[in-house]
Amino acid sequence: MKVKQTPTGNFINGNEIIAIELTNNKGTYVKIFNYGAIINKFIVKNANGEMQDIVLGFENVEQYQDEKYLENNPHIGAVIGRYANRIKDAKFEIDGKTYELEKNAGPNSIHGGVEGFDTKVWDVIDIAEEPQASVTLQYESVDGEEGFPGNLIVDLTFELTENDELILSYEAETDQATAINLTHHGYFNLSPNGGNLSKHKLQIFASNCLEQDAEYAVNGKLIPVANTPLDFTKPKEIGADWDPEEGYDQTYVLDKIYGDLSLASKTIAEDSGLILSIYTTEPVAHLYTSKYLRATNGKNGKDYTGFDAFCIETQHHPNAINISDFPTTVLQPEGLYTQTTIYKVSLNK
């Protein structure tokens, strides 16, 4: 197992962006930037014996900071915080006090606001090569940042195992009651040459999804997926039942015991023989097939566009801060936020 840190020479507010590389003894390789806790590369051996990168991204970290890219920020490969997905009407109440957020998705707030955790330089606080290659990043979000209350300290550990598992372990503490809902926004494509993902076979272990309004904000109601295009309880091609102009942008409530680490989804690409299995302690997984993805000059000079990748965003229920029937997303000063999500890569033998 190997861990390597490489300074990029790129600074934001005096903080240098570092590239951290994790490599296991099989040659599986993950490159992470402490800017946005971005997973920049995730390279594995496919069934054809080729080393293949399964995540979208850019060749250098400066491209993630490009003004044009950030105008329609797709959050490629980055951590999302303080709050994943949409908070309806960009406001919430805790202990009788209302907090107003920036409206950056129509009338709603999305993915932590205008400058969420995906645009912050995190501190590298620990690296290790044994028992597994790992790095721990830390970010302190100050009271009032993007409208959220409390000073929040978040630790995120990336650990690469010999079984080709990339484990993301989150912890967070606050000095004031606050809203928190973290996720990671990796864009995956398991085909050797990338491109449209409609032929990927997907299974999501969820019998229900969340109803949402025209602005994609959930309203607290569950929709059974049986006998609808939303049904992925059995493996099927992503494009089998979709509207090819819309794809999927839907939150699935996982069939699981709350808090248990269990299998959320499994995705297979026949042309590479790769399987991506995602395990999580979180109660929901948001499926996004990248309808709005627009990014130029990605890896190998490729331009990324709609339906070039899929995201499985493990998290708590979106807008739960405003819906009392959902599992709480309020973190108290005496509490500890924890989450584990695992990306496991294997071969379809």
Side-chain angles (χ1 to χ4, degrees):
M1 309 294 283
K2 295 180 181 179
V3 180
K4 180 181 178 182
Q5 294 188 81
T6 305
T8 67
N10 185 293
F11 290 81
I12 297 179
N13 298 325
N15 300 309
E16 185 167 19
I17 298 174
I18 307 294
I20 306 100
E21 301 164 77
L22 311 179
T23 308
N24 69 15
N25 293 322
K26 296 166 61 177
T28 299
Y29 166 84
V30 177
K31 182 177 180 181
I32 298 156
F33 289 121
N34 66 328
Y35 173 75
I38 288 171
I39 299 174
N40 173 248
K41 294 182 179 180
F42 192 165
I43 298 175
V44 298
K45 183 177 286 188
N46 65 25
N48 305 317
E50 305 160 333
M51 300 306 292
Q52 178 184 331
D53 195 347
I54 62 172
V55 297
L56 273 57
F58 297 106
E59 296 293 348
N60 60 73
V61 73
E62 290 84 1
Q63 291 175 272
Y64 293 96
Q65 303 165 55
D66 180 77
E67 185 175 335
K68 186 175 180 181
Y69 168 78
L70 291 174
E71 282 178 6
N72 186 32
N73 188 0
H75 309 88
I76 294 177
V79 72
I80 300 298
R82 286 189 193 191
Y83 210 95
N85 216 297
R86 291 161 181 81
I87 295 177
K88 186 172 175 58
D89 297 327
K91 63 182 179 181
F92 60 89
E93 182 179 302
I94 296 179
D95 297 333
K97 182 176 180 179
T98 298
Y99 296 91
E100 301 277 350
L101 309 175
E102 191 77 21
K103 295 178 180 179
N104 64 332
N108 307 312
S109 172
I110 189 172
H111 288 342
V114 176
E115 294 185 4
F117 291 3
D118 57 298
T119 64
K120 307 300 183 181
V121 179
W122 295 51
D123 294 325
V124 180
I125 63 170
D126 188 48
I127 62 170
E129 293 187 341
E130 299 295 337
Q132 313 288 352
S134 68
V135 59
T136 300
L137 306 179
Q138 184 177 87
Y139 178 67
E140 181 172 358
S141 177
V142 299
D143 180 29
E145 183 175 282
E146 292 294 326
F148 289 90
N151 295 296
L152 181 76
I153 298 176
V154 180
D155 289 357
L156 172 54
T157 299
F158 297 88
E159 183 178 9
L160 179 63
T161 76
E162 287 296 343
N163 295 321
D164 292 342
E165 299 165 316
L166 182 61
I167 304 172
L168 278 61
S169 303
Y170 304 73
E171 289 189 352
E173 294 181 295
T174 182
D175 62 1
Q176 184 179 337
T178 193
I180 181 172
N181 189 20
L182 305 179
T183 192
H184 213 276
H185 211 299
Y187 284 74
F188 292 94
N189 190 306
L190 306 182
S191 293
N193 299 310
N196 188 281
L197 58 87
S198 61
K199 296 297 183 182
H200 283 54
K201 288 185 178 179
L202 174 64
Q203 184 175 15
I204 302 177
F205 298 88
S207 302
N208 297 280
C209 63
L210 297 179
E211 186 174 274
Q212 52 198 23
D213 63 22
E215 300 290 343
Y216 300 100
V218 304
N219 58 20
K221 298 178 182 178
L222 270 63
I223 302 172
V225 300
N227 302 313
T228 77
L230 298 169
D231 191 353
F232 285 96
T233 53
K234 296 180 180 179
K236 70 175 181 181
E237 290 186 353
I238 291 177
D241 298 320
W242 72 357
D243 178 339
E245 295 184 0
E246 294 295 326
Y248 293 98
D249 196 348
Q250 200 77 40
T251 303
Y252 286 80
V253 181
L254 299 172
D255 297 333
K256 60 177 293 180
I257 297 173
Y258 179 76
D260 281 2
L261 180 64
S262 59
L263 184 61
S265 69
K266 181 180 289 188
T267 311
I268 302 171
E270 298 290 351
D271 49 1
S272 68
L274 289 174
I275 302 173
L276 177 65
S277 301
I278 299 179
Y279 298 78
T280 189
T281 55
E282 293 297 276
V284 309
H286 187 87
L287 170 64
Y288 176 51
T289 53
S290 63
K291 172 185 175 180
Y292 298 105
L293 175 62
R294 301 292 184 273
T296 59
N297 197 27
K299 294 175 187 175
N300 300 312
K302 289 184 177 180
D303 293 340
Y304 300 133
T305 188
F307 314 114
D308 275 355
F310 67 94
C311 305
I312 303 287
E313 304 161 48
T314 54
Q315 58 191 269
H316 269 55
H317 299 53
N319 198 34
I321 191 66
N322 289 314
I323 300 174
S324 59
D325 289 342
F326 283 171
T328 185
T329 51
V330 176
L331 179 64
Q332 299 288 348
E334 65 274 14
L336 177 67
Y337 171 94
T338 61
Q339 184 209 138
T340 300
T341 291
I342 301 173
Y343 303 119
K344 179 178 174 57
V345 182
S346 56
L347 296 179
N348 186 24
K349 297 179 179 179

